[in-house]
Amino acid sequence: MRVGVCRVELFINGSFSLKDRRRVVDSVKQRLRNRFNVSVAELSEDSHWQRGSLGISCVARDEHSVTSLLHQVLEFIENDNRVEVTDWLLEIY
C-alpha cells in the first residue's frame, strides 16, 4: 500500500477579494473530491486573495497507481481556467 501527498500552489485569476478566493478554491476542492475520490484540504488561510494552496492525498495499491492518479489531478487543476498552478510537490510514502 502506498500513500501519495501533493501540495499545489495556486494563483487565482479574477479574484478580487478573499470571498472570491474562497469560492474558487472550494469549487476546485469539491470537483476534485467528486471526480477523483481524493482527500483535499486548503492549506493557506492567509490574507492573500489571489493565492491559495491545496493539500491532496490518496491511497493506492502501488506507487505507479498513486503517481498516475495525482498526475491526473494536477492535469485537471491545470485545465481549470480559473486558476494557475504556480508550484507543486509530490511525495509518495
Side-chain angles (χ1 to χ4, degrees):
M1 178 175 71
R2 295 291 187 186
V3 177
V5 179
C6 186
R7 181 182 179 109
V8 182
E9 300 292 331
L10 302 173
F11 177 79
I12 300 148
N13 298 320
S15 175
F16 300 104
S17 68
L18 292 174
K19 193 173 189 177
D20 288 341
R21 179 188 79 172
R22 184 173 44 248
R23 180 182 46 80
V24 171
V25 170
D26 286 348
S27 171
V28 170
K29 287 172 24 183
Q30 192 60 44
R31 291 176 69 206
L32 290 174
R33 288 181 185 129
N34 291 342
R35 180 163 181 140
F36 297 102
N37 195 27
V38 293
S39 296
V40 185
E42 184 175 1
L43 301 178
S44 61
E45 286 294 332
D46 54 18
S47 60
H48 296 284
W49 42 269
Q50 286 189 313
R51 301 212 176 269
S53 63
L54 296 175
I56 304 160
S57 65
C58 68
V59 177
R61 188 177 312 195
D62 55 26
E63 187 172 339
H64 176 71
S65 298
V66 170
T67 304
S68 175
L69 178 59
L70 289 176
H71 280 288
Q72 289 176 27
V73 167
L74 281 169
E75 184 177 337
F76 183 79
I77 296 170
E78 288 173 344
N79 288 330
D80 190 329
N81 62 359
R82 299 172 298 171
V83 298
E84 294 177 30
V85 175
T86 58
D87 193 19
W88 59 273
L89 175 65
L90 176 71
E91 296 182 21
I92 299 174
Y93 300 98

